[in-house]
Amino acid sequence: KAGVTQTPRYLIKTRGQQVTLSCSPISGHRSVSWYQQTPGQGLQFLFEYFSETQRNKGNFPGRFSGRQFSNSRSEMNVSTLELGDSALYLCASSRGTRAYNEQFFGPGTRLTVL
Amino acid sequence: AQTVTQSQPEMSVQEAETVTLSCTYDTSESDYYLFWYKQPPSRQMILVIRQEAYKQQNATENRFSVNFQKAAKSFSLKISDSQLGDAAMYFCAYTRNTDKLIFGTGTRLQVFP
């Protein structure tokens, strides 16, 4: 079974631009979560989507948004990029039921904002 | 709000020896899950071991075991017979509903031959 894939793997943008990151979950997984990883703040939860609906949201400004498609693939968008948005963005997929569900992580997209 | 604390930024161990990584957490919930994740350099984060709070028995996965002390809100990871491939960042994580993980700041483990 293919793992979680994220595209692109690396991205360089300048301040003020916007960016879209993509995540394809494991087949059969309906939940996709996004995390931001930085040396200063560590791993922080951004949001979680299940069946095309945002089910949970972390404490990030409105510049960070996401969506999920009917095939469970998810995208996250960051508008008006700031230097502090430079980070590794990880997505994780799971079955999404309320029983225990292991989250499987993708390799991440490393975003550099200049 | 729930928090997870890893007080050891770095640890080192010699090959074949045993090392214990510490984690404490704060929650007012009685049902929750705790995890240890491993993130090797430039590689994907993988689940090492999990513990359900309602289970008193400590989880074990081959060379990895945990010491779960619910009253003390402590969840340490013991790695026995350490191998070079164990070198990585280790993150302790908490979740109430399995959808939103709260991570600690991580412990970098170095393994020396």
Side-chain angles (χ1 to χ4, degrees):
Chain A
K1 193 183 255 191
V4 178
T5 58
Q6 292 187 245
T7 56
R9 293 292 310 278
Y10 302 91
L11 208 47
I12 299 175
K13 292 285 187 180
T14 56
R15 278 181 298 175
Q17 287 187 308
Q18 77 163 17
V19 67
T20 299
L21 312 181
S22 180
C23 172
S24 293
I26 291 171
S27 177
H29 286 190
R30 296 169 65 192
S31 169
V32 173
S33 298
W34 289 89
Y35 296 85
Q36 181 196 64
Q37 185 175 19
T38 60
Q41 299 297 317
L43 278 151
Q44 292 187 289
F45 172 79
L46 280 155
F47 28 63
E48 185 242 352
Y49 286 86
F50 177 79
S51 292
E52 302 178 67
T53 301
Q54 188 181 84
R55 194 161 63 171
N56 213 337
K57 189 178 189 307
N59 189 25
F60 277 81
R63 300 186 297 107
F64 291 82
S65 63
R67 58 178 176 168
Q68 187 179 34
F69 302 94
S70 59
N71 62 357
S72 294
R73 189 177 71 85
S74 177
E75 288 181 347
M76 69 162 280
N77 183 276
V78 188
S79 62
T80 320
L81 284 166
E82 300 177 0
L83 295 179
D85 297 333
S86 294
L88 181 67
Y89 290 88
L90 297 171
C91 85
S93 77
S94 74
R95 294 191 185 281
T97 63
R98 286 303 180 182
Y100 168 74
N101 288 279
E102 180 178 344
Q103 290 202 23
F104 293 84
F105 284 82
T109 293
R110 185 164 296 281
L111 171 65
T112 302
V113 182
L114 302 175
Chain B
Q2 295 89 357
T3 57
V4 177
T5 302
Q6 293 179 251
S7 58
Q8 306 156 316
E10 288 193 11
M11 292 284 285
S12 60
V13 64
Q14 206 140 22
E15 226 179 341
E17 297 296 309
T18 296
V19 64
T20 299
L21 309 185
S22 301
C23 173
T24 59
Y25 59 94
D26 188 25
T27 183
S28 57
E29 304 289 344
S30 57
D31 283 334
Y32 48 87
Y33 299 86
L34 295 165
F35 307 89
W36 279 98
Y37 279 89
K38 171 185 178 181
Q39 187 178 40
S42 303
R43 294 186 64 184
Q44 284 168 245
M45 182 119 53
I46 58 172
L47 178 65
V48 174
I49 198 166
R50 76 169 191 269
Q51 175 80 45
E52 291 90 339
Y54 65 86
K55 290 186 177 179
Q56 291 187 326
Q57 189 172 8
N58 289 325
T60 299
E61 287 287 342
N62 301 314
R63 297 182 295 108
F64 299 87
S65 61
V66 299
N67 184 2
F68 173 50
Q69 302 287 330
K70 191 172 184 179
K73 295 181 183 175
S74 169
F75 182 61
S76 61
L77 174 70
K78 186 171 84 172
I79 307 174
S80 304
D81 186 24
S82 297
Q83 300 175 358
L84 294 177
D86 295 334
M89 281 291 287
Y90 286 82
F91 292 95
C92 179
Y94 163 100
T95 187
R96 170 76 177 94
N97 59 10
T98 81
D99 297 321
K100 171 185 174 181
L101 290 166
I102 298 170
F103 288 92
T105 50
T107 296
R108 182 176 303 281
L109 178 66
Q110 292 182 302
V111 182
F112 295 101

